Amino acid sequence: MTNARPTTTPPATHRRRHLARKPLAAGLAAVGVLAGGWYATATPTTAAAAIPAVTNTTVNLAAKFPYLSAGYNNTREWTRTATAVAPNGILRVAWPASDGIHVTPLTAAGKRSAADTVVKGAKEVGGLVAHNDGFALLTRVADTNKWKETAAALIRYKNGKQAFRTKLTGTASHDTAPLLDGQLTWNGTKYGTYFVVHGAGGAADGHFGDKLAYVSSKGAKTAGGWGWGCSHNEGIALHAETTGAFTSLCFDDWRSGLFVSTGIGAPDSAPAVQREQCWAGYCGGTFAGRTGELVKSSTGRYATAFASRGAASAAKNPDDASGRGWTVKPKTKTHQVAVAFLKNRNTPAGKPVRLTNTPGTEHVNVHVAPYGKDRLLVSWESLKNAKCANGTCTGTFTGTHLRLIDWNGAFKTPDKVVQARISGDIATLQDGSLTWAYAPVTPSYTAAFSGSSPTAKTLKIARLKP
């Protein structure tokens, strides 16, 4: 792996903000690439079997869970929960509260098995790994730096006690982590932590990129990864590998698209999965809590799902002296559901497959998970009568959709609309069942988010058995 610092100083305006940012449009007509081939089209096949019903159990919470967050342009987003399963079948669910991050232990049936572990001072669920004797949590903690922002940290608990707390940003590396949008994975030997960073000194002072750091089972930082990669990173995906670099994807707003960043970090030489208009918030929501995951097949292929507006044209931005910036004109105002495949950890496999084609409907909270031996479950929420501005949309919620596809993107079932929300990481149980946690409330996307989040005192633990 190489350390991928910016080869040139980013422009002064290249800072991450949760607000509308206007992309530079010059040069599109002269240099644009037509987008007729940006998508393959998914075709229905004979359904082998209908998707079964989602079952739920209810877990009472020891604190109030603020289940809404404000995204770019104050879009309404679910506050991320993370569900993970240990090798012995114990489930753990991480969720934020005013007193820290709560990690709730559950039986394989989704019922509480003990009191919460509360990670004091932790600010965000950036990823969770469940172990037989506890868990590891990627989160943010207090730090001292020029921006007065939090630091990224990996915290391990064993048998109810903190085993280590390893800070992943700091003064020596000139970075902070005011938000993570992160992923945490474990290969049995080491953890992979992938998250957003804010430059605090050095060449990247004041700018936003991403960082991949590996940590041993005892909490020591190990070789590999990078200090600065996609900039800004509008979405992170990571899959653990037994050897070599962990497979990674990023949505980069400067280069405008979804890239394979495995082992190289910055997208200058990274393979493009798809060009997208990715200025702040335009990509349709950040991996991993609000769109997409990275799933591996038994044959070594990968799949990820995301909310996409496609590209009517794409070209290098002539007003960007660095030569790295791109300008993309989106094909649709609303986001549609797309699935992309990789041949291996480094190589895209053809064009992304579009699963929806309803221009008046916005699609949010796109997720993908393995389903049985050879299928994928793709889920999303739909908003009809969408009104869009600055790359984000409001609309009337019409349901959470589930669809099964194969590893070529072909439909295996029609959509099933369910009551269960998906608001974070999905865990796969030993019998192949999928399980996740969500707040039992009806979504509303008719207006931007304002004020403080409403709270819930229960979580639903959903299960879908193939």
Side-chain angles (χ1 to χ4, degrees), residues 59 90-92 104-108 110-116:
V59 174
I90 292 175
L91 284 171
R92 301 187 192 275
T104 303
L106 305 172
T107 67
K111 297 181 179 181
R112 179 184 287 277
S113 60
D116 294 353

mmCIF file of all heavy atoms in Angstrom, residues 59 90-92 104-108 110-116:
data_model
loop_
_atom_site.group_PDB
_atom_site.id
_atom_site.type_symbol
_atom_site.label_atom_id
_atom_site.label_comp_id
_atom_site.label_asym_id
_atom_site.label_seq_id
_atom_site.Cartn_x
_atom_site.Cartn_y
_atom_site.Cartn_z
ATOM 1 N N VAL A 59 -37.120 -4.467 21.721
ATOM 2 C CA VAL A 59 -36.162 -4.354 22.820
ATOM 3 C C VAL A 59 -36.352 -2.999 23.484
ATOM 4 O O VAL A 59 -36.312 -1.956 22.807
ATOM 5 C CB VAL A 59 -34.709 -4.491 22.314
ATOM 6 C CG1 VAL A 59 -33.711 -4.230 23.434
ATOM 7 C CG2 VAL A 59 -34.493 -5.868 21.713
ATOM 8 N N ILE A 90 -24.103 -14.607 19.429
ATOM 9 C CA ILE A 90 -24.612 -13.460 20.185
ATOM 10 C C ILE A 90 -24.675 -12.234 19.277
ATOM 11 O O ILE A 90 -23.740 -11.945 18.534
ATOM 12 C CB ILE A 90 -23.730 -13.178 21.409
ATOM 13 C CG1 ILE A 90 -23.861 -14.308 22.433
ATOM 14 C CG2 ILE A 90 -24.090 -11.843 22.061
ATOM 15 C CD1 ILE A 90 -22.936 -14.158 23.619
ATOM 16 N N LEU A 91 -25.782 -11.512 19.359
ATOM 17 C CA LEU A 91 -25.954 -10.271 18.609
ATOM 18 C C LEU A 91 -25.599 -9.080 19.492
ATOM 19 O O LEU A 91 -25.835 -9.100 20.708
ATOM 20 C CB LEU A 91 -27.398 -10.117 18.147
ATOM 21 C CG LEU A 91 -27.874 -10.941 16.960
ATOM 22 C CD1 LEU A 91 -29.383 -10.793 16.818
ATOM 23 C CD2 LEU A 91 -27.177 -10.505 15.693
ATOM 24 N N ARG A 92 -25.059 -8.044 18.867
ATOM 25 C CA ARG A 92 -24.842 -6.777 19.566
ATOM 26 C C ARG A 92 -25.302 -5.653 18.654
ATOM 27 O O ARG A 92 -25.048 -5.687 17.442
ATOM 28 C CB ARG A 92 -23.381 -6.603 19.968
ATOM 29 C CG ARG A 92 -22.885 -7.714 20.886
ATOM 30 C CD ARG A 92 -21.487 -7.472 21.423
ATOM 31 N NE ARG A 92 -20.961 -8.678 22.054
ATOM 32 C CZ ARG A 92 -21.187 -9.039 23.307
ATOM 33 N NH1 ARG A 92 -21.954 -8.271 24.074
ATOM 34 N NH2 ARG A 92 -20.672 -10.152 23.794
ATOM 35 N N THR A 104 -25.949 -2.980 22.993
ATOM 36 C CA THR A 104 -26.954 -3.839 23.600
ATOM 37 C C THR A 104 -26.730 -5.286 23.173
ATOM 38 O O THR A 104 -26.722 -5.578 21.976
ATOM 39 C CB THR A 104 -28.368 -3.392 23.177
ATOM 40 O OG1 THR A 104 -28.567 -2.020 23.537
ATOM 41 C CG2 THR A 104 -29.435 -4.251 23.828
ATOM 42 N N PRO A 105 -26.542 -6.209 24.130
ATOM 43 C CA PRO A 105 -26.380 -7.624 23.781
ATOM 44 C C PRO A 105 -27.733 -8.307 23.616
ATOM 45 O O PRO A 105 -28.648 -8.089 24.409
ATOM 46 C CB PRO A 105 -25.606 -8.186 24.979
ATOM 47 C CG PRO A 105 -26.040 -7.333 26.130
ATOM 48 C CD PRO A 105 -26.352 -5.962 25.572
ATOM 49 N N LEU A 106 -27.837 -9.152 22.596
ATOM 50 C CA LEU A 106 -29.084 -9.844 22.291
ATOM 51 C C LEU A 106 -28.815 -11.311 22.052
ATOM 52 O O LEU A 106 -27.721 -11.706 21.626
ATOM 53 C CB LEU A 106 -29.736 -9.246 21.035
ATOM 54 C CG LEU A 106 -30.009 -7.743 21.003
ATOM 55 C CD1 LEU A 106 -30.472 -7.346 19.605
ATOM 56 C CD2 LEU A 106 -31.053 -7.365 22.036
ATOM 57 N N THR A 107 -29.823 -12.123 22.281
ATOM 58 C CA THR A 107 -29.750 -13.523 21.893
ATOM 59 C C THR A 107 -29.867 -13.628 20.376
ATOM 60 O O THR A 107 -30.218 -12.663 19.690
ATOM 61 C CB THR A 107 -30.876 -14.327 22.544
ATOM 62 O OG1 THR A 107 -32.133 -13.887 21.993
ATOM 63 C CG2 THR A 107 -30.889 -14.139 24.051
ATOM 64 N N ALA A 108 -29.614 -14.818 19.864
ATOM 65 C CA ALA A 108 -29.760 -15.028 18.425
ATOM 66 C C ALA A 108 -31.194 -14.797 17.968
ATOM 67 O O ALA A 108 -31.447 -14.508 16.794
ATOM 68 C CB ALA A 108 -29.309 -16.437 18.057
ATOM 69 N N GLY A 110 -32.978 -12.319 19.001
ATOM 70 C CA GLY A 110 -33.238 -10.886 19.015
ATOM 71 C C GLY A 110 -33.805 -10.361 20.311
ATOM 72 O O GLY A 110 -34.372 -9.266 20.337
ATOM 73 N N LYS A 111 -33.621 -11.087 21.420
ATOM 74 C CA LYS A 111 -34.099 -10.631 22.728
ATOM 75 C C LYS A 111 -32.916 -10.216 23.590
ATOM 76 O O LYS A 111 -31.826 -10.798 23.504
ATOM 77 C CB LYS A 111 -34.897 -11.733 23.407
ATOM 78 C CG LYS A 111 -36.169 -12.123 22.643
ATOM 79 C CD LYS A 111 -36.947 -13.207 23.378
ATOM 80 C CE LYS A 111 -38.223 -13.565 22.612
ATOM 81 N NZ LYS A 111 -39.010 -14.604 23.316
ATOM 82 N N ARG A 112 -33.137 -9.212 24.429
ATOM 83 C CA ARG A 112 -32.064 -8.733 25.295
ATOM 84 C C ARG A 112 -31.538 -9.871 26.168
ATOM 85 O O ARG A 112 -32.304 -10.611 26.780
ATOM 86 C CB ARG A 112 -32.557 -7.578 26.162
ATOM 87 C CG ARG A 112 -31.490 -7.034 27.126
ATOM 88 C CD ARG A 112 -32.058 -5.956 28.017
ATOM 89 N NE ARG A 112 -32.293 -4.717 27.290
ATOM 90 C CZ ARG A 112 -31.350 -3.798 27.042
ATOM 91 N NH1 ARG A 112 -30.102 -4.014 27.449
ATOM 92 N NH2 ARG A 112 -31.639 -2.687 26.389
ATOM 93 N N SER A 113 -30.189 -9.944 26.271
ATOM 94 C CA SER A 113 -29.578 -10.986 27.090
ATOM 95 C C SER A 113 -28.853 -10.432 28.313
ATOM 96 O O SER A 113 -28.520 -11.188 29.224
ATOM 97 C CB SER A 113 -28.583 -11.799 26.250
ATOM 98 O OG SER A 113 -27.548 -10.966 25.743
ATOM 99 N N ALA A 114 -28.602 -9.114 28.356
ATOM 100 C CA ALA A 114 -27.916 -8.496 29.491
ATOM 101 C C ALA A 114 -28.066 -6.989 29.376
ATOM 102 O O ALA A 114 -28.641 -6.474 28.409
ATOM 103 C CB ALA A 114 -26.437 -8.893 29.529
ATOM 104 N N ALA A 115 -27.540 -6.289 30.372
ATOM 105 C CA ALA A 115 -27.590 -4.821 30.361
ATOM 106 C C ALA A 115 -26.641 -4.275 29.301
ATOM 107 O O ALA A 115 -25.675 -4.927 28.883
ATOM 108 C CB ALA A 115 -27.214 -4.276 31.732
ATOM 109 N N ASP A 116 -26.904 -3.031 28.867
ATOM 110 C CA ASP A 116 -26.056 -2.362 27.891
ATOM 111 C C ASP A 116 -24.665 -2.116 28.449
ATOM 112 O O ASP A 116 -24.484 -1.874 29.659
ATOM 113 C CB ASP A 116 -26.626 -0.997 27.494
ATOM 114 C CG ASP A 116 -27.934 -1.084 26.746
ATOM 115 O OD1 ASP A 116 -28.354 -2.207 26.401
ATOM 116 O OD2 ASP A 116 -28.537 -0.017 26.499
#
